[in-house]
Amino acid sequence: MTGPLVFAHRGASVALPEHTLAAYLRAIEEGADGLECDVRLTRDGHLVCVHDRRLDRTSTGRGRVSAHTLAQLEALDFGSWHPGAPPAGPDEPADESRTRLLTLARLLDAAHAADRPVRLLIETKHPSRYGGAVERKLVALLQRYGLTEPRPDARVQVVVMSFALLAVRRIRELAPALPTVLLLETLPPWLRSGRLPIGIRIAGPGIALVRARPRLVPALRAAGHQVYVWTVNEPADLDLALAAGVDGIITDRPDLALARRA
Ligand code: G3P
Ligand code: CA
C-alpha cells in the first residue's frame, strides 16, 4: 500500500448506523486499514462506543450515556434512526448488528476476528463526569487484551486519541508505549512551531484546519510527527489530504477514500 492509512470514522457510517458492529464489519470488508471509535463510560463503569454525550440522536433512549447502566443501554435501539438500517419486516429476524449498542470489548473482539490485521483509533470523550476514570478503564481493558505494548506483528494495533490534552497525558502515564493522537479543531498558539507536547507522536487536525492552514501539515511532519486528519468525506477534501501527504485519513466513507487513494 502507498498513501495514507484509511480509518473508518465510527465505522462505514454513511452506509450504516455509526458505532454499530455492522458499520465496522462493513468497513473491514471494504478494506479500511483501521477503525475509529469514540468511547464513554456507563454508570456502572463499562466502555461503550457512543459519540454524543446524550442518547437522543442515535438511539431510542433519552438523557446522558453516563447516567445509564450497561443493561439499560443494551435495551435500546441504536440503529433504526439511520436510513441504512430499515426496521425488520414482520417475518424477518431483526439484525442486531445494526441496532445493538457496541461495547468497546465487542469491537476489540471483532477486530481480532478479522481476516487481516486491523488498526483501532480509540477516542476518549471529554468532558466526562467520570474524568480520568475513562482513561484508567480504557488502559485496564487494553491490558486485558495485551494491547498496551504494541508489537508490529499484532493483529490489532491501538492508538488512543483525545481533544483533551490532559486525557492524552493520562494515557502516556498509564501506558507509555501506546501511541497517542492530540486532536485539534483550531490551532493552539503553542503549535506554531509544529511541535506537539512531549510524548505525543501524532497530530489530529480537522480537515477545516488543514484547509485554512496550508503550512500546518508540512510543519508537523518536519517536526517529526505523523498527521491523521478528520473527518474527510468530500472528494475535494480527500484529494487535498492526499496531496498534503498526511499519514492517516479518518472518514465516514472508507470506500470512497480507498478508491481515491488507489
Ligand atoms: O477522529 C476524530 C474525530 O472523530 C473527532 O471528531 O466529533 O467526530 O469525534 P468527532
Ligand atoms: Ca471521534
Side-chain angles (χ1 to χ4, degrees), residues 9-10 36-38 51 121 123 125 161 163 183 204 229-231 250 252:
H9 183 245
R10 313 180 196 173
E36 188 265 2
C37 70
D38 302 303
H51 174 270
L121 280 182
E123 180 185 347
K125 280 297 188 199
M161 322 191 280
F163 284 101
L183 293 168
V229 63
W230 52 273
T231 301
I250 302 169
D252 297 331

Side-chain angles (χ1 to χ4, degrees), residues 100-175:
R100 185 181 179 194
L101 169 83
L102 186 62
T103 60
L104 181 60
R106 282 203 289 269
L107 180 56
L108 287 167
D109 292 339
H112 276 102
D115 55 3
R116 61 183 169 81
V118 171
R119 293 165 192 262
L120 213 51
L121 280 182
I122 303 174
E123 180 185 347
T124 62
K125 280 297 188 199
H126 289 282
S128 160
R129 69 163 71 173
Y130 302 119
V134 181
E135 283 73 34
R136 289 195 294 278
K137 289 274 185 186
L138 173 58
V139 169
L141 181 66
L142 295 176
Q143 271 162 351
R144 285 208 289 284
Y145 280 79
L147 293 172
T148 47
E149 301 286 334
R151 294 188 329 268
D153 60 332
R155 295 195 54 77
V156 178
Q157 304 261 2
V158 171
V159 173
V160 179
M161 322 191 280
S162 190
F163 284 101
L165 180 55
L166 191 58
V168 178
R169 288 204 162 121
R170 276 187 213 118
I171 293 293
R172 181 165 153 72
E173 273 163 31
L174 294 164

Side-chain angles (χ1 to χ4, degrees), residues 80 85-95:
S80 295
D91 302 324
E92 280 174 67
D95 178 356

